Amino acid sequence: MGADRRRRGASALVLLCAMAILTAPGLAAGIAHAAPGAPAAPGAPAAPAAPAPEPGAKSLEQVRKEIEDLYRQAGAATDAYNLAEAEVKAQSEKIVAIANLVVAGQERITALKSRAGAAARAQYRSGGLPAGAKLALSEDPGQFLDGAGRLRQGEKAASDLLTELDRTQNDLKRYAQDASAHWATLEANRVKQEDAKNQIEQKIKTAEELENKLEAEEKARLIQLEQEAQYKAQTAWLSTGAMKDVNGAATEAGKRAVQYATAQMGKPYVWGAEGPKAFDCSGLTSQAWLAAGRTIPRTSQEQLRLLPKVALKDMRPGDLIIYFDDASHVAMYVGDGAMVHAPRPGRNVTMAGAGSMPIKAVVRPDA
């Protein structure tokens, strides 16, 4: 049964790679590519041959790896940008909450001062002595006791008022300190966000410049090389027996998450985007699980840090696969050795082999 599953997974990936190659930009004019290692179909036009590189020039494979590395670096910076953006939002919400507390505290102090002023005015009108004091000075025993009680009540009320006023003023001081701390964190996160944005834009610009230097035939060949590299990694992964015992069934929430993620296929990757027209990798996974009724962290690194980890053999559709040592990429497992993800700028949300990139961990949003 495990062998059948591996064969099905491998066959599905061959078909998947072929479909991706045949539908890739620049190949719509009838250019046909055979599966890696297979001869071209009879009568089919030959795949465009890569032009011979000039002496000292980089090969197309070297260019592919360089572009891939740049986009990986951009992906890591995107994660840093998304995290800083989430922290900016959180700090802004805390500052707004503190501002509301300050307003309430100021209103409380105004009310307490008004009560204190009313008591002072009443005392002034009575000749400087509280009514209870006059009764306490009476020679009538009943009036004396009543006056003494009123004095104690008045003293307690005055003491409580002063205590409440002092406590409220201390609260306002603490709120001011908290607001200052949150402002400092907010500004630090804004700086991190801006730095990450600059890194992303620079890496993407460099990668696009490399890609734009290629001729149309080279761009077509570049896409084929990407697919071949993914196919090679996937088949190597399957050959280890990684999928031998993977047969977990999706939960109802997992099914909804998978349905959402796969419905986004064909939409472009845009860094920082979380739908509905475009996504980055963690934007896709977080929104898919939000559609399934669960809120999960926004970034791939936070998804790795905060979501429960599961063994690869226990993986089931809906689980998230974290890739690379720096956890800079994330995809959703959909079953049969495949995953859906938003790959990188210039590519669309697509399905690929779960082992087509180095797997760091598997996490479960609905553990």
Side-chain angles (χ1 to χ4, degrees), residues 190-239:
R190 281 178 176 160
V191 170
K192 286 194 294 186
Q193 191 178 17
E194 189 63 30
D195 288 345
K197 180 181 178 182
N198 291 336
Q199 288 183 43
I200 294 163
E201 290 176 340
Q202 184 57 50
K203 299 297 182 186
I204 291 176
K205 181 182 177 183
T206 304
E208 287 176 341
E209 286 174 351
L210 278 172
E211 202 161 355
N212 288 338
K213 290 177 182 177
L214 301 175
E215 300 294 334
E217 292 82 1
E218 291 177 313
K219 289 181 180 179
R221 175 64 179 155
L222 182 68
I223 293 172
Q224 186 181 22
L225 287 174
E226 288 178 5
Q227 297 294 333
E228 288 174 353
Q230 291 172 13
Y231 174 79
K232 182 179 179 181
Q234 174 72 358
T235 52
W237 180 67
L238 290 174
S239 69

Side-chain angles (χ1 to χ4, degrees), residues 24-36:
L27 300 184
I31 299 174
H33 290 289

Side-chain angles (χ1 to χ4, degrees), residues 173-305:
K173 289 179 183 177
R174 190 177 72 254
Y175 296 154
Q177 293 170 348
D178 289 347
S180 295
H182 286 304
W183 271 115
T185 304
L186 179 68
E187 287 307 306
N189 285 328
R190 281 178 176 160
V191 170
K192 286 194 294 186
Q193 191 178 17
E194 189 63 30
D195 288 345
K197 180 181 178 182
N198 291 336
Q199 288 183 43
I200 294 163
E201 290 176 340
Q202 184 57 50
K203 299 297 182 186
I204 291 176
K205 181 182 177 183
T206 304
E208 287 176 341
E209 286 174 351
L210 278 172
E211 202 161 355
N212 288 338
K213 290 177 182 177
L214 301 175
E215 300 294 334
E217 292 82 1
E218 291 177 313
K219 289 181 180 179
R221 175 64 179 155
L222 182 68
I223 293 172
Q224 186 181 22
L225 287 174
E226 288 178 5
Q227 297 294 333
E228 288 174 353
Q230 291 172 13
Y231 174 79
K232 182 179 179 181
Q234 174 72 358
T235 52
W237 180 67
L238 290 174
S239 69
T240 65
M243 289 295 298
K244 180 169 60 103
D245 299 319
V246 179
N247 56 9
T251 61
E252 287 304 313
K255 290 177 183 176
R256 291 195 295 272
V258 168
Q259 287 169 355
Y260 179 94
T262 53
Q264 312 313 310
M265 289 172 63
K267 293 183 179 179
Y269 177 107
V270 173
W271 66 266
E274 47 188 338
K277 294 182 178 179
F279 297 86
D280 62 22
C281 65
S282 56
L284 177 66
T285 54
S286 59
Q287 287 300 304
W289 272 103
L290 184 62
R294 292 181 183 269
T295 300
I296 66 172
R298 169 65 177 87
T299 70
S300 57
Q301 292 175 351
E302 289 296 280
Q303 289 169 2
L304 172 65
R305 188 173 72 88

Side-chain angles (χ1 to χ4, degrees), residues 254 257-258 261 281-290 294-304 307-312 315-323 329-334 339-341 354 359-366:
V258 168
C281 65
S282 56
L284 177 66
T285 54
S286 59
Q287 287 300 304
W289 272 103
L290 184 62
R294 292 181 183 269
T295 300
I296 66 172
R298 169 65 177 87
T299 70
S300 57
Q301 292 175 351
E302 289 296 280
Q303 289 169 2
L304 172 65
L307 296 178
K309 298 177 180 63
V310 296
L312 184 65
M315 185 167 60
R316 68 191 186 198
D319 286 346
L320 306 184
I321 306 175
I322 309 295
Y323 292 99
H329 193 69
V330 61
M332 179 176 291
Y333 182 63
V334 296
M339 56 79 165
V340 63
H341 69 147
I359 296 175
K360 182 176 180 66
V362 178
V363 296
R364 179 162 293 165
D366 62 338

Side-chain angles (χ1 to χ4, degrees), residues 44-88:
E54 296 177 5
K58 295 177 182 177
S59 70
L60 194 56
E61 176 61 13
Q62 288 174 319
V63 172
R64 182 193 70 78
K65 288 181 177 178
E66 189 172 346
I67 289 173
E68 184 180 276
D69 187 55
L70 285 165
Y71 279 127
R72 277 241 307 110
Q73 293 175 42
T78 297
D79 222 40
Y81 174 89
N82 289 335
L83 182 58
E85 184 178 47
E87 289 174 345
V88 164

